[in-house]
Amino acid sequence: MTNKQSPEGIEDKTKSTDLARRRFTKSGLAASGVILTLASRPVLADTVCKSPSGFLSGNTSSHIEQLCFGNYPSYYANNPDAWRGTQYVPGTINKKEAQSTDAGSTTSNENSNTDKDINKWVGGTQYQQAFPGSSRFPGKSMMQVLWMGDVMGENFVAALLNAALGLTPPLTETKVIDICVEYETRGFFEPTAGVHWHEQEILFYLNSLV
């Protein structure tokens, strides 16, 4: 039986997006007020998991307690089956909408491809439902946010799915939601008293878990 959640007609995002994000987060290290010890991690993938406060401390202990195996936003955008095992629903492809927008894709608008991809998705868990207290992306599903090109939005969605699947302990779903809502309402997240993580630091932390 054909899986109705499999995306048809959508091109996979290129790996350059993930590589660019890695370069972005690394380049911002010098400007950050957070002490990060990249030397203590052999690679960015499959790394030791740390809570925000633990990440901040830069603990260089060689005793590995937990490993992270999180996925990037582009993975969840292109693999709705990967959402299984979570309480969140990716939605389905509106085949009629997909065919009609593909047929009329002669516009020169640089955002047209993104808009088409967003409109192809129907249903699914709403972003504001997944992140109670958020006022961003009203009426948009988590999957639609993954296709919008909003860096913070897509990374929060991926972080929530990673946490729900147990891929990034000890970062829980509740903590991801707390980080998201605090950043949205205050303009920063405070991992410990007196330390403020803005967009750059939050992205670096989330990307350290994948």
Side-chain angles (χ1 to χ4, degrees):
M1 180 178 180
T2 302
N3 190 330
K4 295 183 179 180
Q5 292 184 348
S6 298
E8 299 179 4
I10 293 182
E11 297 180 355
D12 288 349
K13 293 183 179 179
T14 63
K15 293 182 180 180
S16 62
T17 301
D18 293 342
L19 294 175
R21 187 177 290 111
R22 288 181 188 274
R23 289 195 294 269
F24 167 74
T25 51
K26 287 183 180 180
S27 66
L29 179 59
S32 170
V34 181
I35 299 176
L36 305 172
T37 55
L38 284 177
S40 68
R41 301 207 309 274
V43 290
L44 280 178
D46 304 344
T47 58
V48 178
C49 265
K50 295 180 182 294
S51 65
S53 58
F55 186 75
L56 178 67
S57 69
N59 188 340
T60 58
S61 172
S62 60
H63 176 64
I64 298 178
E65 296 181 354
Q66 298 178 102
L67 291 177
C68 287
F69 301 91
N71 297 304
Y72 278 114
S74 57
Y75 177 78
Y76 290 115
N78 289 290
N79 295 278
D81 285 345
W83 297 44
R84 291 178 178 175
T86 76
Q87 62 176 309
Y88 310 106
V89 181
T92 57
I93 290 291
N94 183 337
K95 295 182 179 180
K96 183 177 181 180
E97 175 68 16
Q99 293 172 353
S100 64
T101 52
D102 286 340
S105 59
T106 58
T107 177
S108 60
N109 186 338
E110 62 180 3
N111 294 321
S112 61
N113 289 334
T114 299
D115 292 340
K116 287 191 304 171
D117 291 333
I118 292 172
N119 292 332
K120 286 178 183 178
W121 286 99
V122 295
T125 304
Q126 295 285 295
Y127 184 89
Q128 291 185 358
Q129 179 184 350
F131 294 92
S134 173
S135 60
R136 299 195 72 198
F137 313 116
K140 299 297 184 184
S141 69
M142 294 172 66
M143 179 62 89
Q144 288 176 323
V145 171
L146 285 175
W147 284 97
M148 288 179 66
D150 184 281
V151 176
M152 294 302 288
E154 66 182 23
N155 273 275
F156 280 133
V157 169
L160 190 62
L161 292 171
N162 285 332
L165 290 169
L167 301 178
T168 55
L171 188 63
T172 64
E173 293 174 73
T174 298
K175 177 55 67 174
V176 174
I177 295 170
D178 288 345
I179 295 173
C180 173
V181 175
E182 183 175 343
Y183 164 74
E184 182 179 325
T185 56
R186 303 179 66 188
F188 59 84
F189 167 67
E190 194 170 37
T192 190
V195 176
H196 295 170
W197 283 4
H198 295 87
E199 177 177 332
Q200 191 165 278
E201 290 83 10
I202 294 173
L203 287 174
F204 189 92
Y205 170 66
L206 295 180
N207 278 268
S208 76
L209 304 180
V210 300

